[in-house]
Amino acid sequence: MCAAAAVTSLPQCGTRRISARPWFSSIPIRCISSSNANPAVDVDIDVDSARTTGADSSSTSASGGRSSSSFFPKKNQTLELVCESLGFKGKGICKAADTGFVLMCDRALPGERFIGRVSRKKSPYAEVKKLKTIVPHDHMVEAPCQYASYCGGCKTQNLSYEAQIKYKEQQVHDLIVHVGKFDHRDSKFADVIKPIVPCQEQYHYRNKMEFSFGTDKWVPDVKEKNEQGFALGLHAPGFFDKVLDVDKCLLQSEAANKVLAIMQENWRDPNLSLSPYNVHTHFGFLKHLMIRTGRNISNGFPELMVNFVTSSYKPELLEPLVEKITTIPEVVSVMNNVNTSVGNTSVGEQEYTLYGKSAITEMLRGLSFQISANSFFQTNTKQADVLYEIIEECAGLRGDGSEIVLDLFCGTGTIGLTLARRAGHVYGYEVVPEAILDARRNAELNNIHNATFIQGDLNKINDSFGKEFPRPDIIISDPTRPGMHMKLIKYLLKVRAPRLVYVSCNPATCARDLDYLCHGVSEQGLSGCYHLKSITPVDMFPHTPHIECVCLLELA
């Protein structure tokens, strides 16, 4: 059965109001017993480590074998394993047959029996590389993308969407219990974790894709060796210098795929004298191709921005490509970011407009937003609308214009501006100066005058933070993957806003921060002051391991 057919029976998900999960009932989950530590939450968390330390060393197999502490696999050891569940970052969770020792395997899916080789050892678990599948995984569907088995983007395309989101929901549950230290035996706990909100569109949902030019084309199934030849596509998993040549990506819009197709047909033409950037020698011209999809606010039609990232400014070299891609009606902007550094970033020191406008627009929750080449904007626009509706519900603004909202990690102001219509005033904080400029422009574009956006690093705040604005009634915090710094945690516990909405793209660090806010930090002499009222997982990115969560906390 193809993936497209597999998802047609999914319930529609305009909002989060899902009272039950009847369509989950046919999908069993092999979850790890909650009496032991859960390897599904044994994850390395960026910067601020909040890793669960893994399985109880005294646990044994069902047959009463040796304790898991007596089995520590050697590197390069070959094992036959069965994947039991999915852990954070989408890695398969396996256990040694005789001991219960935990092994993590990338691209292993639940129910799959396979041969794996130990590639890395850590204290509570080991990592395994899959060599050969013996028995396929459960809930298999045919992946529609020809690159799904090799590209690092869509690891679970061949797992039914119903199963994908059920495992994601289970991961959030396990993290809240084991990292957040919330008691799942509490009678109220079942009401706290809400059903996951599925994504209505499982393909063509991304409004931004970044492709890389490379001198080393990576060819799968050739012992990970590269084939001589230029490439335009996505980086091969685990390699910074090898690129998987891609003609089409099913996650971006059809119009964006037209741009990619024209580029693939023309950029290698020797008459154009274009060369991809070599990350080893640091010679070459073309670094990245970024394609962004927006929407014309007048007629609702899609509009595209194409951004060439190059090592120098030579518009005459790009002119033939610009002429060809602008034959696509949706292309209204062609930009050139010039990045002279040896790094691999797509943000340039200088930016030039080669064709049309310098920004495209998009609508979100009834507001218009300008999106420049390097603006941050939610990557899945339609699901962001659903996400922001949940945030608005959690914020619970009275609408009388009296409440103060503090929007932490505000980015380009999208969340704060959607709340400003019912708030007295919104104060937004963000470390990226360009994002603050975009937020101010977006406020002006929407004729919103009760929003103030301030540039500042929330990881470096001091005791004076908060004196420049009134005490907030509602705080929105939407941190990056590492979560919130302890300095910010201390501020939140000190200011004691009546309502706190935590929006997270990393449920592991989210669970850690919820523990701090609700239970305190004994090492810091801090007492928690919040009750966790609800946590709603939202699937923003189907076929990937990423999960978004919206958490509502109220003063205890």
Side-chain angles (χ1 to χ4, degrees), residues 110-224:
E112 181 177 7
R113 182 179 294 274
F114 65 97
I115 302 296
R117 177 179 293 130
V118 178
S119 58
R120 191 179 181 187
K121 297 187 295 184
K122 294 190 175 184
S123 177
Y125 70 95
E127 293 184 0
V128 173
K129 180 177 180 180
K130 184 168 64 175
L131 302 178
K132 179 183 178 182
T133 297
I134 301 173
V135 179
H137 59 271
D138 301 331
H139 314 294
M140 176 182 282
V141 295
E142 182 181 347
C145 177
Q146 61 179 313
Y147 309 108
S149 299
Y150 315 113
C151 164
C154 302
K155 293 185 177 182
T156 55
Q157 253 192 45
N158 59 348
L159 182 65
S160 74
Y161 186 62
E162 294 95 330
Q164 288 182 39
I165 57 176
K166 184 163 187 177
Y167 285 115
K168 287 184 178 184
E169 184 177 292
Q170 185 68 33
Q171 288 165 34
V172 172
H173 176 279
D174 293 342
L175 285 163
I176 294 300
V177 170
H178 295 286
V179 177
K181 302 174 185 175
F182 291 88
D183 189 356
H184 67 285
R185 296 166 296 185
D186 188 321
S187 59
K188 297 180 181 179
F189 182 78
D191 296 328
V192 169
I193 299 187
K194 306 302 181 183
I196 189 169
V197 179
C199 188
Q200 193 169 15
E201 296 183 359
Q202 287 90 50
Y203 294 98
H204 305 297
Y205 60 79
R206 287 190 65 96
N207 57 36
K208 176 186 174 184
M209 282 294 296
E210 182 180 310
F211 302 97
S212 296
F213 293 93
T215 55
D216 292 332
K217 181 191 294 185
W218 185 70
V219 178
D221 300 327
V222 190
K223 296 183 179 180
E224 296 178 351

Side-chain angles (χ1 to χ4, degrees), residues 401-455:
S402 65
E403 294 165 295
I404 301 298
V405 176
L406 178 59
D407 185 9
L408 303 175
F409 309 95
C410 68
T412 56
T414 50
I415 295 177
L417 292 175
T418 60
L419 298 176
R421 294 170 291 189
R422 296 177 58 81
H425 204 94
V426 172
Y427 294 88
Y429 272 79
E430 169 61 44
V431 68
V432 181
E434 294 82 5
I436 288 295
L437 293 175
D438 281 338
R440 292 169 180 166
R441 280 193 289 264
N442 287 327
E444 184 178 353
L445 179 65
N446 291 279
N447 200 30
I448 294 175
H449 305 292
N450 61 333
T452 302
F453 295 101
I454 304 166
Q455 193 267 327

